[in-house]
Amino acid sequence: MAFHDWGKELSNRLQAEWMMLAALSIVAAATVFAGLPLWQVALGWFFLAGVVLAGGRDRPRPPVAETARQPRERDLLGEVPSTLDALDVPALVLDREANILFQNDASSRTFGSLPTGAHISARLRSPAVLDMIRETLATGRPNQIEHAERLPSQQVYLVRIAPVDLPAEGQGKRLFLLAFRDISELRRLDRMRSDFVANASHELRTPLASLRGFIETLQGPAKSDPKAQERFLSIMLDQSTRMSRLLDDLLSLSRLELRANVAPEGKVDLVSLLSHVRDSLSPLAGDLGVSINLYLPPGPVEVAGERDELVQVFENLVENACKYGQEGKAVDVFLSAAEAGPLEVTVADYGPGIPSEHLPRLTERFYRVSVEDSRSKKGTGLGLAIVKHILTRHRARLIVASEVGKGSRFTVRF
């Protein structure tokens, strides 16, 4: 044992046995006053003190010695603390009794500061996780389990515990590493993927069922009925067109996701682009009895972007405003390009508006405020999801404001 370690061990024993040593000193003082020679008293005191310090190694230490023992436990970890602090994964080091010996920085940020020496059950209340820890402490085999934290927010962790055998200087002492890997985003993506497949299947199943039913009717009862054939063929065309629109939107979403991290390099004049959008949607607006009004600056206003994708964004927003805000009879498009503020394009309608509880979910795939209303207006439920993906690629935001009975405003902020 090095001299430094020997001195530290002696200091720890002195702290642990101070009450016994104090009692010996009192007895020694009493014997001196009783007339016993000082050298005999000193010799006896040192002998008994040596016996106390040597024998105290195997006796249970009083609670006061806990603070003296904790640095020793930390010394046994060696370079482990600095290594764990470099990880972005919350990690705790436990002893054989599941007491916390060390907590890395990521764990402090996630769970707050935990007192050294506290039992892990003081922080983790999950019976499944505590059972897993107890099993590993008993068997020495690694374990892992999925654990969800609902407060202060929904988080899902893959909790893993594994034994750590310290090197020779740790005298074979076994500790346990408890780590938390955040898989919340993976679970969210899994739910989105499953919801997407379920919704896409549902959206395709309805027109396919209609087509199959009409085909069977045309092959059977309506085989010789020209009027029924004409009516059914018209409906079949509408259903096939609906499926075509849905598949086109799905392909658009897939392409956008592949290019989400690639910023566009070209320049687009929003003044001419918005004029083009109005001209292309004028026939639809005329059929609905809606006028599209543009409020644009006199000169060109350029942004970094891809023209076809931005045309798709504003055609979608203006078309939605015409269809769902038809009652207001007008759709206004404002282009704000003030030097002091952000560049914004706002599409405003004066229809029935959207209830506030629906606003946060409008850009979700297949989310509809009213399913029947959307289908009657030939919507696929993917338009605003496409808009969101395009604007994300263009480093822009979609801001939605609406008031029931007064209309809606969709603002694109570059």
Side-chain angles (χ1 to χ4, degrees):
M1 181 184 296
F3 180 78
H4 174 74
D5 293 337
W6 179 84
K8 183 182 293 186
E9 180 68 18
L10 178 60
S11 175
N12 290 339
R13 292 182 192 174
L14 288 173
Q15 292 183 33
E17 308 296 343
W18 70 271
M19 293 184 66
M20 184 64 71
L21 295 176
L24 286 177
S25 299
I26 294 173
V27 172
T31 55
V32 169
F33 283 113
L36 199 67
L38 181 60
W39 67 272
Q40 293 181 0
V41 173
L43 184 63
W45 185 92
F46 280 111
F47 174 76
L48 293 175
V51 172
V52 168
L53 292 177
R57 183 183 304 177
D58 300 324
R59 289 203 311 272
R61 303 287 179 88
V64 70
E66 184 66 23
T67 56
R69 191 171 53 172
Q70 289 171 4
R72 176 61 180 163
E73 298 284 8
R74 175 129 183 174
D75 290 342
L76 289 177
L77 297 177
E79 299 300 322
V80 171
S82 58
T83 304
L84 294 182
D85 279 336
L87 297 177
D88 60 351
V89 176
L92 301 169
V93 178
L94 309 180
D95 62 15
R96 286 185 177 274
E97 287 75 39
N99 298 318
I100 300 170
L101 299 181
F102 176 75
Q103 174 187 27
N104 72 347
D105 291 341
S107 175
S108 299
R109 291 191 298 269
T110 304
F111 304 120
S113 181
L114 304 178
T116 303
H119 196 271
I120 188 62
S121 61
R123 173 60 182 85
L124 282 175
R125 305 292 185 180
S126 169
V129 175
L130 294 176
D131 288 343
M132 177 195 72
I133 294 174
R134 279 193 288 267
E135 180 182 347
T136 296
L137 295 181
T139 64
R141 293 194 298 268
N143 265 316
Q144 67 180 27
I145 194 173
E146 194 169 300
H147 168 64
E149 292 266 346
R150 289 176 172 78
L151 294 174
S153 61
Q154 179 73 26
Q155 296 288 330
V156 182
Y157 296 99
L158 189 63
V159 186
R160 186 177 190 275
I161 184 170
V164 179
D165 292 322
L166 295 178
E169 56 268 23
Q171 298 179 353
K173 187 177 181 65
R174 170 169 281 191
L175 302 179
F176 298 84
L177 180 64
L178 183 67
F180 298 78
R181 184 160 65 92
D182 193 343
I183 57 172
S184 306
E185 186 66 15
L186 294 177
R187 290 294 172 263
R188 188 183 70 83
L189 291 176
D190 286 343
R191 286 195 301 271
M192 286 180 58
R193 190 179 297 110
S194 61
D195 290 346
F196 176 72
V197 172
N199 288 324
S201 302
H202 175 74
E203 293 294 330
L204 288 170
R205 187 183 297 116
T206 301
L208 282 173
S210 298
L211 287 174
R212 180 176 179 178
F214 287 127
I215 290 172
E216 292 174 350
T217 304
L218 290 173
Q219 290 177 336
K223 187 173 184 179
S224 302
D225 189 344
K227 291 185 178 180
Q229 290 179 1
E230 183 179 358
R231 182 164 60 89
F232 290 159
L233 288 172
S234 176
I235 297 174
M236 290 169 66
L237 178 61
D238 287 343
Q239 294 296 333
S240 61
T241 303
R242 176 184 169 189
M243 282 197 300
S244 178
R245 287 197 307 270
L246 179 60
L247 291 174
D248 288 343
D249 285 348
L250 289 173
L251 289 174
S252 294
L253 271 176
S254 179
R255 286 193 298 268
L256 288 168
E257 287 178 341
L258 291 175
R259 304 171 61 194
N261 297 323
V262 181
E265 297 179 355
K267 291 287 186 180
V268 180
D269 177 18
L270 291 179
V271 173
S272 63
L273 184 146
L274 293 173
S275 299
H276 167 76
V277 170
R278 179 191 57 186
D279 295 341
S280 64
L281 292 177
S282 290
L284 172 66
D287 293 340
L288 296 173
V290 177
S291 62
I292 302 176
N293 308 309
L294 298 183
Y295 299 90
L296 308 175
V301 177
E302 290 188 338
V303 295
E306 188 171 315
R307 182 178 177 82
D308 290 343
E309 291 186 358
L310 290 180
V311 166
Q312 191 175 6
V313 167
F314 293 111
E315 279 187 346
N316 197 301
L317 295 178
V318 175
E319 183 178 350
N320 284 349
C322 292
K323 289 179 178 179
Y324 300 104
Q326 182 179 358
E327 298 175 8
K329 303 298 182 183
V331 172
D332 294 334
V333 181
F334 303 91
L335 173 55
S336 171
E339 294 183 2
L343 178 60
E344 294 181 345
V345 178
T346 300
V347 178
D349 69 69
Y350 306 95
I354 304 170
S356 59
E357 64 268 20
H358 296 288
L359 296 182
R361 302 189 62 188
L362 285 180
T363 56
E364 293 182 13
R365 299 173 182 183
F366 297 109
Y367 185 81
R368 296 180 172 96
V369 176
S370 171
V371 175
E372 294 302 324
D373 194 28
S374 175
R375 288 180 177 170
S376 67
K377 293 177 170 57
K378 301 180 180 180
T380 63
L382 294 172
L384 289 179
I386 292 174
V387 167
K388 178 184 177 182
H389 276 75
I390 293 175
L391 294 182
T392 299
R393 180 171 179 254
H394 283 71
R395 311 300 189 259
R397 295 175 56 203
L398 179 65
I399 303 169
V400 184
S402 185
E403 187 174 349
V404 175
K406 294 186 178 181
S408 306
R409 296 172 68 88
F410 289 76
T411 300
V412 175
R413 177 176 293 170
F414 291 92

